[in-house]
Amino acid sequence: MKPLMKAAFAVLAIAIVLIAAVGITVATYHPMNTVISEQGKVAHQDIPYYNTTLANGTHVEIVNLSLAAWGQGNGYPNAYPFNFNGTSYGAMTIYLPATAYIHANMTNYEVKPHTLKVELPYASDWARGPIWAHTSVHVKKVINSTGTIDPIWYGNVAHSRSIWWNDTAPGNYWIVCGLTTHAEAGMYVFVIVSSHVTTPYYTIK
């Protein structure tokens, strides 16, 4: 085999290994086992949780809620870069048990900054999701919020921040990006907390 051809095969082999490694990395860090939009709907997928006892003797269920901003929304051409786990415009609904403790972690793989914010909207506004001029006029209570999560280009690493939402009360909530216009641009998820939910799960329509 000629030296030039050997070199070409060597470069090709290295490229294949690198592509495979990237694929493995993406699969490893993909949160909640949530699919990206081109892989279709999710009818029911459980979310990791565990039971523990607090220092005061209270038994609680702790839900590990992992969210991320990815590069493509759930089949919506204008979703980029405003999505949670590849879904936009309320395509994802998360179902949580009442009285659970939620540890919500947000990772930003995007080239724009984002936040993770849990809101209790007024009942008349919940089903349509955040609308233009999304303000306190539509939100009854802010449960908790991260600060700004830097874009991935800062050091070429994905930045994360997390919050706690303790002792969840039954009701209909939103998870949104709290930065101006991001929620209105599709970056929101519906959340339903109910005493009828025993195991936390999510759906994607």
Side-chain angles (χ1 to χ4, degrees), residues 122-139:
Y122 288 99
S124 58
D125 290 322
W126 178 77
R128 62 182 172 177
I131 61 174
W132 187 251
H134 172 231
T135 66
S136 58
V137 173
H138 311 290
V139 176

Side-chain angles (χ1 to χ4, degrees), residues 118-169:
V118 181
E119 299 177 332
L120 175 63
Y122 288 99
S124 58
D125 290 322
W126 178 77
R128 62 182 172 177
I131 61 174
W132 187 251
H134 172 231
T135 66
S136 58
V137 173
H138 311 290
V139 176
K140 188 175 182 179
K141 181 181 180 182
V142 174
I143 305 302
N144 205 345
S145 179
T146 67
T148 300
I149 307 169
D150 288 334
I152 195 169
W153 64 42
Y154 288 10
N156 198 31
V157 295
H159 299 271
S160 300
R161 301 187 77 162
S162 63
I163 55 175
W164 281 91
W165 174 12
N166 293 345
D167 200 17
T168 50

Side-chain angles (χ1 to χ4, degrees), residues 41-115:
K41 302 176 181 180
V42 175
H44 181 118
Q45 177 66 52
D46 289 345
I47 298 171
Y49 74 97
Y50 63 95
N51 296 302
T52 190
T53 303
L54 302 180
N56 62 6
T58 304
H59 299 282
V60 298
E61 182 175 324
I62 295 181
V63 179
N64 289 316
L65 188 61
S66 298
L67 294 162
W70 289 88
Q72 181 177 337
N74 193 49
Y76 294 88
N78 296 322
Y80 173 82
F82 306 109
N83 69 89
F84 284 109
N85 297 44
T87 70
S88 298
Y89 296 101
M92 179 189 291
T93 302
I94 297 172
Y95 296 82
L96 298 173
T99 73
Y101 281 39
I102 314 302
H103 182 224
N105 184 75
M106 173 72 176
T107 303
N108 190 5
Y109 294 94
E110 277 291 356
V111 295
K112 286 182 177 289
H114 292 301
T115 72

